[in-house]
């Protein structure tokens, strides 16, 4: 579907684009797309736009609300076109391109829409790479528009030239270099389609500056319907396989659901919850899937994996029927593969066929969007009228409750210092469980996942795949913009927060009332924990020396800063912070520097070989 | 096991690097890769030879299929197929070696396509194993240069790998 007859014409008439603002939305006529060969007709009716104007108009036609960006030479034509369109699209000026990508990513995770970034060539693009890779590993729909040097100088080591398509190739779902103006609108349409369909992911569109030249215009038509012959993501699961899966579930004696980020990405929470409740099976989740099933429900046995609960991991080890939904058997989840689910028949639902049988061989693969497959499972289950073996299920629950009674996440509640676990519990209490919580990476991330039960999807926003420190604060900006009236907090560590601290200025500029809850333990706690366990407490460069005064720092950005050091002051301080509905508040919570995340599966161990937290008497001995 | 994977790929500038990059990024083994145009200008045909156990090859195929530029893919090794590779081999051919090399060329049904007083260039087409065998059989010390195309292949029968 090329837009034909779209020969570029050069016009010296610089006023042409100045009446753009009055132009009626041009694409409503293009609902049915551009049939091949219809180019001549289209050219007559379509408005003439420059590449820069096309870029902006295409975003508007995609329904994009926010663009997170940072200007520079190669995108100046685009910024000028943006300026001319006034309020049709909102641009959020970040303070570092990494911030733009994480903000767009946070927006996408919290709203389910596509995140959009606009950055310049060279350093703009390279600064964006961390955020692109972060989105890639967690399958987040995002379109990143990068400026590029003009086509005639590509390959000449021109000023601010990098091979953006080459650098980002391994960390995008797809990328494009747009060499011809005539291809621009269709390429942007393809980028949004690819980013949001199938297994979502980031798509980079690299646009050389000459392609956005304001003086060269082509007829603009935004193709609505699009098909790409080499790209056909599955739309439904195979019904025969779904029947087989339901039979296996009904035959199971010790079943468990294991859900991942895919259940959230595909908005499968409602049918998933219905199916799990209808069967009465236990359910566990990965770090990325938290909230797809209500975590306060008693069928939820906690997160699994390295810092999962004892009951979830033991159940994984003992299960005879594992129902994996939108999860990818990541090494942080499986522990040592040889020990993984030794007794189970495995059902695996995923929209991406390459996820299936990648790390663990499965018996019932089902390729399809998880929401539709789970809905079909429910249908088949109801139709069959079958019920799981109630006696076996009761025995299974009895066993799980025994594992539960071990209380694997106990911690010292009488400590005179604030325990990070207590801080998260207090956060839950103060926010009534109604919060969008973004996280950075480290112990605080694990404590948040363990101690803040999310009952809804898209509430827990963290970089699970890449584990990107610096993600939390900019991601929270995107979340807050996507949900302007919601409570949004970022839980962080004193090391992580410094990686994107500059975004406090963005928060000020756009009056984003985010609450930063800093669990300040003075260490790169997660690194320190590994050094304590596996390197005989040789704390090589994990002490975060020369920390700023975070309260003063927040204030210098125009925000409210607060510090708490005593457990009995914490709740009041948090309430005070969250009561400031229209202010960004930075809460520096001084926590016990020596606390570790338990339970833990150490490297090379299986689910049944967890380290539990030290008991009271062990603590006294130590 | 050795697999010959044949693909129709969008004739886009980045397609080749995406495929090569996939192999290096995921640590898959790649023995040869050939690319050329087809009768359909928007498509190129790639033939890729790789080795691995069934699980790995299955993953390779899935990952290749996942690339947006890959339109269609077929594992030729799964069916009856024809495999052909071309080799140009430059040999030192002086004195008594000339007769010996001519005989060898005939046995392999190869062609001598360039002759000087001191050398032959032999052209040989066939399955890769046949090319290996020729190299093996050439008298020691006579090979100056070996140029191989890497295998291409096609399924037997009426059905084709088309859109
Ligand atoms: C960009 C980046 N660099 C390094 C790491 C490795 N890393 C993982 S956790 C961590 C320490 C984080 O410290 P802090 O933010 O204080 O959190 P804590 O563990 O103390 O809660 C480090 C360095 C990472 N995940 N990301
Ligand atoms: Mg810390």
């Amino acid at each position: 579907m090329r837009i034909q007859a779209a020969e570029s014409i050069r016009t010296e008439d610089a006023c042409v684009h100045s009446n753009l603002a009055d132009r009626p939305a041009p694409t409503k006529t293009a609902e049915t797309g551009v049939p091949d060969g219809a180019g001549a007709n289209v050219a007559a009716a379509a408005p003439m736009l420059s590449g820069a104007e096309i870029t902006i108009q295409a975003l508007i036609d995609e329904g994009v609300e926010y663009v997170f960006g940072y200007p520079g030479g190669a995108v100046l034509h685009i910024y000028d076109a943006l300026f001319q369109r006034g309020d049709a699209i909102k641009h959020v000026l970040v303070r570092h391109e990494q911030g733009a990508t994480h903000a767009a990513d946070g927006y996408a995770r919290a709203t389910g829409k596509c995140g959009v970034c606009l950055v310049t060539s060279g350093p703009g693009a390279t600064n964006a790479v961390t955020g692109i890779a972060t989105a890639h590993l967690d399958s987040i729909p995002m379109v990143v528009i990068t400026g590029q040097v003009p086509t005639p100088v590509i390959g000449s080591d021109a000023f601010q030239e990098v091979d953006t398509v080459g650098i980002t190739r391994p960390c995008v779902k797809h990328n494009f270099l747009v060499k011809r103006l005539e291809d621009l609108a269709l390429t942007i349409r393809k980028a949004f389609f690819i980013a949001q369909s199938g297994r979502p992911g980031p798509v980079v569109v690299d646009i050389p500056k000459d392609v956005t030249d304001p003086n060269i215009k082509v007829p603009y038509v935004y193709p609505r319907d699009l098909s790409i012959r080499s790209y056909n993501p599955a739309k439904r699961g195979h019904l025969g396989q779904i029947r087989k899966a339901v039979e296996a579930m009904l035959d199971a004696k010790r079943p468990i659901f294991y859900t991942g980020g895919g259940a959230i990405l595909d908005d499968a929470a409602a049918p998933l919850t219905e199916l799990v409740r209808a069967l009465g099976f236990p359910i566990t989740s990965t770090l990325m899937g938290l909230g797809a099933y209500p975590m306060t429900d008693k069928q939820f046995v906690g997160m699994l994996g390295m810092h999962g609960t004892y009951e979830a991991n033991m159940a994984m080890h003992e299960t005879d029927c594992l129902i994996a939904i939108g999860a990818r058997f990541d090494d942080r989840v499986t522990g040592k593969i040889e020990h993984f689910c030794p007794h189970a028949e495995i059902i695996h639902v995923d929209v991406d066929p390459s996820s299936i049988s990648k790390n663990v061989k499965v018996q019932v693969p089902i390729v399809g969007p998880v929401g539709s497959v789970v809905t079909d499972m429910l249908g088949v289950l109801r139709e069959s009228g079958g019920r799981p073996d109630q006696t076996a299920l009761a025995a299974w629950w009895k066993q799980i409750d025994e594992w539960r009674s071990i209380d694997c996440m106990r911690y010292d509640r009488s400590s005179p210092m604030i325990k990070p676990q207590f801080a998260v519990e207090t956060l839950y209490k103060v926010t009534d469980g109604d919060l969008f919580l973004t996280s950075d990476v480290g112990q605080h991330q694990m404590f948040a996942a363990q101690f803040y039960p999310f009952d809804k999807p898209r509430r827990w926003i963290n970089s699970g795949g890449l584990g990107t420190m610096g993600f939390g604060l900019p991601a929270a900006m995107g979340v807050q913009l996507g949900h302007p009236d919601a409570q949004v907090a970022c839980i962080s560590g004193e090391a992580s927060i410094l990686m994107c601290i500059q975004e406090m200025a963005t928060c000020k500029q756009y009056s984003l009332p985010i609450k930063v809850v800093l669990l300040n333990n003075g260490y790169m706690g997660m690194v320190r924990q590994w050094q304590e366990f596996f390197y005989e407490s040789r704390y090589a460069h994990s002490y975060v020396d020369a920390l700023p005064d975070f309260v003063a720092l927040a204030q210098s950005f125009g925000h409210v800063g607060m510090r708490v050091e005593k457990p009995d002051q914490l709740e009041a301080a948090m309430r005070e912070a969250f009561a400031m509905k229209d202010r960004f508040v930075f809460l520096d919570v001084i926590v016990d520097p020596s606390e570790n995340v338990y339970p833990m599966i150490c490297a090379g161990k299986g689910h049944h070989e967890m380290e539990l937290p030290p008991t009271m008497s062990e603590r006294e001995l130590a | 096991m050795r697999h010959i994977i044949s693909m129709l790929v969008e004739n886009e500038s980045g397609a080749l690097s995406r495929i090569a990059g996939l192999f290096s990024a995921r640590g898959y083994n790649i023995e040869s890769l050939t690319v050329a145009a087809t009768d359909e200008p928007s498509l190129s045909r790639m033939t890729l030879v790789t080795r691995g156990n069934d699980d790995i090859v299955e993953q390779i195929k899935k990952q290749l299929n996942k690339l947006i530029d890959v339109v269609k893919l077929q594992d030729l090794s799964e069916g009856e197929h024809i495999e052909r590779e071309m080799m140009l081999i430059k040999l030192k051919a002086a004195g008594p070696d000339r007769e010996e090399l001519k005989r060898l060329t005939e046995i392999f049904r190869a062609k001598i396509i360039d002759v000087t007083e001191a050398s032959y260039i032999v052209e040989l087409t066939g399955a890769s194993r046949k090319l290996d065998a020729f190299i093996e059989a050439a008298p020691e010390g006579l090979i100056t240069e070996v140029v191989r195309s890497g295998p291409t292949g096609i399924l037997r029968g009426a059905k084709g790998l088309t859109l």
Side-chain angles (χ1 to χ4, degrees):
Chain A
M1 290 210 311
R2 286 263 150 84
I3 300 171
Q4 296 178 354
E7 258 220 86
S8 55
I9 48 165
R10 178 174 275 278
T11 164
E12 303 308 325
D13 180 10
C15 321
V16 171
H17 56 278
S18 67
N19 27 7
L20 260 179
D22 327 323
R23 190 169 40 74
T27 54
K28 295 292 174 257
T29 53
E31 222 75 84
T32 52
V34 198
D36 282 334
N41 297 338
V42 166
M48 300 296 289
L49 299 190
S50 72
E53 291 161 344
I54 287 175
T55 307
I56 299 304
Q57 189 59 47
L59 297 182
I60 294 169
D61 289 338
E62 277 295 333
V64 172
E65 202 183 353
Y66 289 104
V67 175
F68 300 88
Y70 207 94
V75 285
L76 282 183
H77 294 327
I78 300 177
Y79 268 84
D80 195 47
L82 182 68
F83 185 85
Q84 313 246 9
R85 291 308 304 271
D87 283 340
I89 196 157
K90 289 176 228 151
H91 179 273
V92 178
L93 178 68
V94 295
R95 297 302 188 268
H96 185 297
E97 289 86 352
Q98 182 183 355
T101 50
H102 292 330
D105 177 325
Y107 174 85
R109 292 183 202 232
T111 63
K113 298 181 204 159
C114 191
V116 179
C117 303
L118 173 59
V119 300
T120 193
S121 67
T126 53
N127 272 352
V129 169
T130 298
I132 294 169
T134 302
H136 183 57
L137 271 190
D138 289 342
S139 305
I140 305 304
M142 204 154 98
V143 169
V144 181
I145 295 172
T146 53
Q148 183 53 279
V149 300
T151 46
V153 298
I154 286 181
S156 69
D157 300 322
F159 178 63
Q160 295 196 326
E161 177 182 6
V162 294
D163 175 8
T164 301
V165 162
I167 288 175
T168 58
R169 189 189 313 115
C171 60
V172 292
K173 182 168 175 187
H174 197 59
N175 58 20
F176 296 96
L177 170 63
V178 186
K179 289 202 188 121
R180 302 181 340 140
L181 175 55
E182 295 78 358
D183 298 337
L184 182 58
L186 182 61
T187 305
I188 295 178
R189 177 73 197 101
K190 280 184 180 172
F192 275 89
F193 176 62
I194 292 170
Q196 294 174 281
S197 53
R199 178 178 183 172
V203 178
V204 167
V205 183
D206 198 28
I207 311 179
K209 189 169 186 183
D210 54 325
V211 173
T212 61
D213 186 337
N215 295 315
I216 306 176
K217 307 203 172 206
V218 291
Y220 170 81
V221 174
Y222 200 58
R224 283 285 149 200
D225 295 331
L226 178 69
S227 72
I228 300 176
R229 62 180 174 186
S230 58
Y231 175 69
N232 297 296
K235 298 208 166 64
R236 288 288 290 273
H238 187 274
L239 209 57
Q241 289 293 91
I242 291 173
R243 288 211 181 86
K244 238 167 101 179
V246 171
E247 265 168 42
M249 292 181 214
L250 291 175
D251 285 345
K253 307 261 182 261
R254 300 183 307 280
I256 185 166
F257 279 89
Y258 145 54
T259 57
I264 301 220
L265 292 169
D266 199 41
D267 291 318
L272 174 75
T273 305
E274 217 179 319
L275 180 68
V276 174
R277 292 219 168 113
L279 289 162
F281 292 177
I283 172 168
T284 179
S285 165
T286 68
L287 181 68
M288 295 310 297
L290 298 177
Y293 185 88
M295 291 172 72
T296 53
D297 188 272
K298 70 177 189 322
Q299 275 173 255
F300 188 72
V301 296
M303 180 170 78
L304 84 165
M306 182 171 278
H307 293 299
T309 65
Y310 183 69
E311 50 273 30
N313 285 327
M314 286 306 287
M316 289 293 285
H317 189 70
E318 295 299 329
T319 180
D320 66 346
C321 178
L322 179 68
I323 308 136
I325 311 264
R328 61 186 179 89
F329 300 80
D330 171 90
D331 54 279
R332 284 290 186 269
V333 158
T334 59
K336 194 166 171 85
I337 282 284
E338 289 75 31
H339 296 311
F340 181 75
C341 292
H343 315 291
E345 172 167 27
I346 304 178
I347 298 161
H348 187 188
V349 184
D350 206 294
V351 73
D352 176 7
S354 74
S355 273
I356 294 181
S357 290
K358 181 175 69 176
N359 300 337
V360 170
K361 217 170 171 65
V362 308
Q363 285 72 44
V364 189
I366 304 173
V367 178
V370 300
S372 102
V373 172
V374 170
T375 306
D376 286 344
M377 283 175 165
L378 255 174
V380 170
L381 177 71
R382 298 229 158 101
E383 217 173 83
S384 77
R387 264 186 98 208
D389 178 342
Q390 297 301 305
T391 326
L393 202 54
W396 181 223
W397 272 114
K398 186 160 169 275
Q399 171 67 76
I400 289 171
D401 287 338
E402 263 168 44
W403 289 324
R404 252 183 187 157
S405 68
I406 287 176
D407 189 14
C408 66
M409 289 185 331
R410 61 184 174 253
Y411 67 92
D412 180 8
R413 288 172 188 275
S414 59
S415 167
M417 273 179 284
I418 299 176
K419 287 284 183 182
Q421 299 95 325
F422 175 70
V424 177
E425 285 180 337
T426 308
L427 178 65
Y428 180 74
K429 190 169 162 196
V430 167
T431 55
D432 275 330
D434 183 16
L435 180 68
F436 286 84
L437 183 59
T438 71
S439 178
D440 269 306
V441 175
Q443 289 184 324
H444 60 275
Q445 176 190 24
M446 291 303 124
F447 287 131
Q450 291 178 330
F451 289 89
Y452 199 110
F454 296 91
D455 279 344
K456 290 185 192 151
R458 302 195 179 277
R459 293 301 187 107
W460 167 238
I461 311 256
N462 83 128
S463 164
L466 198 66
T468 309
M469 289 169 70
F471 174 81
L473 177 57
M477 304 190 311
V479 176
Q480 187 77 75
L481 287 163
H483 296 284
D485 300 325
Q487 297 195 104
V488 179
C490 162
I491 193 159
S492 189
E494 74 299 321
S496 292
I497 197 73
L498 285 177
M499 287 211 176
C500 276
I501 196 73
Q502 75 285 347
E503 298 307 331
M504 283 213 282
T506 314
C507 294
K508 182 67 191 170
Q509 182 176 346
Y510 298 93
S511 304
L512 302 177
I514 295 161
K515 310 294 180 276
V516 173
V517 179
L518 190 77
L519 301 189
N520 188 342
N521 54 10
Y523 278 96
M524 298 171 195
M526 190 55 96
V527 174
R528 189 203 55 72
Q529 176 170 348
W530 281 55
Q531 289 170 334
E532 179 186 332
F533 287 7
F534 311 121
Y535 299 88
E536 297 168 322
S537 299
R538 289 185 298 277
Y539 297 135
H541 302 282
S542 55
Y543 178 66
V544 192
D545 211 337
L547 279 176
D549 174 344
F550 285 110
V551 172
L553 185 63
Q555 286 165 349
S556 79
F557 276 96
H559 298 308
V560 179
M562 295 166 68
R563 181 170 297 120
V564 211
E565 304 186 47
K566 295 274 169 294
D568 57 1
Q569 296 165 352
L570 183 60
E571 186 178 329
M574 273 193 192
R575 288 204 186 279
E576 191 186 334
F578 278 92
M580 288 182 250
K581 296 262 177 244
D582 54 355
R583 294 302 300 270
F584 179 106
V585 183
F586 194 114
L587 192 57
D588 184 15
V589 184
I590 310 300
V591 299
D592 185 347
S594 63
E595 188 57 279
N596 289 323
V597 183
Y598 284 109
M600 178 169 182
I601 303 175
C602 295
K605 302 283 185 178
H607 280 149
H608 58 306
E609 299 169 304
M610 290 206 93
E611 301 280 336
L612 292 170
T615 59
M616 205 54 106
S617 51
E618 281 167 342
R619 266 203 300 270
E620 272 155 19
L621 276 176
Chain B
M1 203 187 121
R2 177 172 180 266
H3 287 254
I4 306 177
I5 294 170
S6 195
M7 285 174 280
L8 286 176
V9 175
E10 293 289 356
N11 193 6
E12 304 265 353
S13 57
L16 180 60
S17 49
R18 266 182 239 283
I19 289 169
L22 174 76
F23 276 73
S24 60
R26 294 193 181 262
Y28 302 142
N29 166 327
I30 187 165
E31 275 185 11
S32 73
L33 178 63
T34 71
V35 197
T38 64
D39 56 326
E40 158 63 52
S42 67
L43 290 174
S44 32
R45 177 91 173 216
M46 284 196 195
T47 312
L48 190 153
V49 180
T50 184
R51 256 173 221 283
N53 64 32
D54 290 354
D55 291 346
I56 290 175
V57 172
E58 193 55 39
Q59 236 338 276
I60 290 176
K61 287 190 267 182
K62 283 176 173 175
Q63 293 292 347
L64 285 168
N65 255 322
K66 194 162 132 180
L67 295 175
I68 310 280
D69 292 330
V70 173
V71 184
K72 262 197 174 164
L73 178 152
Q74 202 169 48
D75 185 348
L76 296 184
S77 325
E78 280 177 352
E80 286 282 314
H81 66 279
I82 293 165
E83 173 192 339
R84 287 288 181 273
E85 180 174 3
M86 204 211 3
M87 172 165 73
L88 300 174
I89 180 165
K90 190 177 282 183
L91 299 147
K92 296 187 187 80
D97 291 338
R98 285 179 92 82
E99 267 315 299
E100 169 66 18
L101 287 173
K102 254 174 88 177
R103 256 202 312 280
L104 191 67
T105 305
E106 268 160 34
I107 293 169
F108 277 86
R109 276 185 234 143
K111 273 188 285 185
I112 296 173
I113 56 170
D114 182 75
V115 180
T116 70
E117 266 163 37
S119 71
Y120 284 155
I121 294 176
V122 173
E123 178 191 326
L124 173 58
T125 305
S128 303
R129 284 170 52 190
K130 179 172 167 187
L131 275 47
D132 297 341
F134 185 92
I135 294 172
E136 211 36 32
E140 257 199 64
L142 294 192
I143 297 176
T144 307
E145 201 178 342
V146 173
V147 184
R148 296 174 66 153
S149 66
T152 58
I154 194 162
L155 272 196
R156 283 187 187 277
K159 257 174 76 181
L161 180 61
T162 51
L163 276 188

